[in-house]
């Protein structure tokens, strides 16, 4: 069974631009979560989607948005990029939203904002 | 904060030694999980312990949970160079919410 796939692996953007990251979950998994990882802040929860609906949202500005499609694939978008948005963005999938589910992570998208 | 806080931030040991790291939190939880991350990659699930459990084992891993102290520990016995990674605790509050990760413990195992 294929794992969680994130594309692209690396991105370089400039301030003010926007970016879209993609995540394909493990087949059959309906929950997709996004995390931002920076050296100083660790993993920060962005949002979670289940069956095309946003279930939870972290404390990020409205420039960060996401969506989930009917095949459970998910995208996140960051508009008006800032230098501080440089980070590793991780996507994780699980079968359901139950709290005893373990998360399966992709390898992440490394975003650099210049 | 609902996040777990790992301690120490970094740990350096030699192969064959045990590595112990701790996670403290502030809210009541449903369960607590530990994950490992190799440099620049995604996280891999190691073990889950429920709030009504006190100890769990998986191979060379031993996890304890003390809900009265709001803390958990992860012990890796007989460390190997391949155990070099960052280790994160992830907790799920018993209120509505999703996994909250700490900043991690960076473990370096030297041959």
């Amino acid at each position: 069974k294929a794992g969680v796939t994130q594309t692209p692996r690396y991105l370089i953007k400039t301030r003010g631009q926007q970016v879209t990251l993609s995540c394909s979950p493990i087949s059959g998994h309906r929950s997709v979560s996004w995390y931002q990882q920076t050296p100083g802040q660790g993993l920060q929860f962005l949002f979670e989607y289940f069956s095309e609906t946003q279930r939870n949202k972290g404390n990020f500005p409205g420039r960060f948005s996401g969506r989930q499609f009917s095949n459970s694939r998910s995208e996140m978008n960051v508009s008006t990029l800032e230098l501080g948005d440089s980070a590793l963005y991780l996507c994780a999938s699980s079968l359901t939203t139950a709290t005893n589910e373990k998360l399966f992570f992709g390898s992440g998208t490394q975003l650099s904002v210049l | 904060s609902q996040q777990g806080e790992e301690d120490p931030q970094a740990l350096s040991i030699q192969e064959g030694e045990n590595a112990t790291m701790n996670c403290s939190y502030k809210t009541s939880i449903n369960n607590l999980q530990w994950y490992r991350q190799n440099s620049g990659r995604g996280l891999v699930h190691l073990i889950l312990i429920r709030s009504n459990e006190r100890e769990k084992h998986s191979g060379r891993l031993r996890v304890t949970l003390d809900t009265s102290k709001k803390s958990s520990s992860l012990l890796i016995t007989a460390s190997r160079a391949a155990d070099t990674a960052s280790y994160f605790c992830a907790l799920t509050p018993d209120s509505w919410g999703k996994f909250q990760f700490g900043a991690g413990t960076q473990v370096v195992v030297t041959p």
Side-chain angles (χ1 to χ4, degrees):
Chain A
K1 202 181 235 186
V4 178
T5 303
Q6 290 188 246
T7 58
R9 183 75 178 94
Y10 299 96
L11 264 179
I12 299 175
K13 293 286 187 179
T14 56
R15 279 182 300 175
Q17 287 187 310
Q18 78 166 22
V19 67
T20 299
L21 312 182
S22 178
C23 172
S24 293
I26 290 173
S27 178
H29 285 194
R30 296 170 64 190
S31 174
V32 173
S33 302
W34 289 88
Y35 292 85
Q36 181 196 66
Q37 185 177 26
T38 56
Q41 298 295 318
L43 275 85
Q44 301 292 316
F45 172 71
L46 281 157
F47 26 67
E48 179 198 10
Y49 287 88
F50 181 81
S51 293
E52 303 178 65
T53 301
Q54 187 179 88
R55 303 268 298 200
N56 280 295
K57 189 177 191 305
N59 295 324
F60 279 82
R63 300 186 297 107
F64 291 81
S65 63
R67 60 178 176 169
Q68 187 180 34
F69 301 96
S70 58
N71 61 358
S72 294
R73 189 176 71 85
S74 178
E75 289 182 347
M76 69 163 281
N77 183 76
V78 188
S79 62
T80 319
L81 283 166
E82 300 177 0
L83 295 179
D85 297 333
S86 295
L88 179 66
Y89 290 88
L90 292 164
C91 162
S93 75
S94 59
L95 275 169
T96 70
T97 59
T99 59
N100 60 352
E101 290 274 0
K102 61 182 180 181
L103 301 178
F104 293 83
F105 281 82
S107 295
T109 294
Q110 183 68 56
L111 172 65
S112 297
V113 182
L114 307 178
Chain B
S1 167
Q2 293 176 325
Q3 288 179 299
E5 294 183 8
E6 290 92 344
D7 172 67
Q9 289 186 328
L11 184 58
S12 184
I13 56 174
Q14 293 195 314
E15 268 192 328
E17 294 181 336
N18 294 342
T20 300
M21 59 212 83
N22 304 295
C23 173
S24 59
Y25 55 92
K26 295 180 181 178
T27 66
S28 55
I29 59 172
N30 273 335
N31 60 62
L32 189 145
Q33 303 187 29
W34 286 90
Y35 287 79
R36 183 189 72 222
Q37 182 181 36
N38 291 92
S39 181
R41 309 297 291 183
L43 281 72
V44 174
H45 178 265
L46 294 176
I47 197 166
L48 177 151
I49 187 164
R50 302 178 196 281
S51 59
N52 60 354
E53 297 176 314
R54 292 297 168 258
E55 187 172 313
K56 280 191 83 169
H57 296 256
S58 177
R60 294 182 297 111
L61 305 178
R62 172 176 169 256
V63 169
T64 62
L65 179 64
D66 187 334
T67 53
S68 66
K69 294 181 180 178
K70 292 187 168 52
S71 69
S72 174
S73 68
L74 171 66
L75 167 68
I76 306 173
T77 60
S79 297
R80 305 167 181 169
D83 294 328
T84 294
S86 291
Y87 293 82
F88 295 85
C89 65
L91 57 94
T92 308
D94 63 2
S95 57
W96 180 261
K98 198 55 184 177
F99 299 103
Q100 304 289 343
F101 286 82
T105 293
Q106 189 173 4
V107 176
V108 175
V109 183
T110 54

